[in-house]
Amino acid sequence: MATGFLATGLAAALTGFFAAGLAAAFAAGLAAAFTAGFLATAFLAAGLAAALAAGLAAGLAATFLAAGLAATFLAAGLAAAFLAAGLAAALATTFLAAGLAATFFAAGLAAGLAAAFLAAGLAAGLATAFLATGLAAAFFTAGLAAAFAAGLAAAFLATGLAAAFFTAGLAAGLAAAFTAGLAAAFAATGFFAGAAAFAAGFFAAGFFAAVAIFSSPSSGMGKIHYKI
């Protein structure tokens, strides 16, 4: 029985502690919830108040700015109107005092200056055009002359080279033919007949060499011959 009472007491004690803990937790949760709600409401009210104050300040600033701008524009418009009226009156008085003669004189002077500037511009343009045309013609003529001179030089050089090669080839051919003739003469007629042919060949070779030198445009005699 003692064990039963002890167990009952422990159960009652545990149940009481558990119920007390739940009650305390529930009370703490309610307090936290009320605190959070109060703080949120306070922050919301403060934000609304700040927004209203900012809107009021902005509205007042815009109102004062609009009023200042309106006053400024009104003052500027009145000043411009008075200034324009004064200028118009002064100009009218000046033109009336100066008279139509001064106006016509100024118009004539302007027309004369415009005509003078136009004539000077036309003269300068024509001079530039003539100068450019003359320079272009001079350069074109000089180019043609240079091209013609270069062409003539190339033609003379090509002609001289062709004549020189032709003369050299002719001399080589004659020398080869003469050598072949000498060999044939030595073989056919013997030493003495070959000696006579050799002398005749030297004479002929000298003659043909003289002709080649005389007719070659690269030699002095050839130049005289071509000039003639």
Side-chain angles (χ1 to χ4, degrees):
M1 291 196 55
T3 303
F5 280 115
L6 181 61
T8 303
L10 286 174
L14 289 174
T15 303
F17 278 115
F18 182 69
L22 285 178
F26 184 71
L30 284 179
F34 278 117
T35 303
F38 176 74
L39 287 175
T41 306
F43 280 117
L44 178 63
L48 286 176
L52 289 174
L56 179 62
L60 287 175
T63 303
F64 281 115
L65 179 63
L69 287 175
T72 302
F73 281 118
L74 178 62
L78 288 175
F82 281 115
L83 179 62
L87 284 176
L91 287 173
T93 304
T94 302
F95 280 115
L96 183 62
L100 291 174
T103 304
F104 281 116
F105 176 73
L109 183 61
L113 288 174
F117 280 116
L118 178 63
L122 285 175
L126 287 174
T128 305
F130 280 119
L131 179 62
T133 305
L135 287 175
F139 280 115
F140 180 69
T141 306
L144 281 179
F148 183 69
L152 283 178
F156 279 118
L157 179 62
T159 305
L161 288 174
F165 281 116
F166 177 72
T167 305
L170 185 60
L174 288 173
F178 175 67
T179 304
L182 280 179
F186 275 117
T189 62
F191 176 76
F192 292 105
F198 187 79
F202 266 112
F203 177 77
F207 175 75
F208 286 118
V211 169
I213 291 171
F214 183 78
S215 61
S216 175
S218 60
S219 65
M221 298 301 291
K223 291 179 181 178
I224 297 172
H225 176 69
Y226 273 95
K227 287 181 180 179
I228 294 172

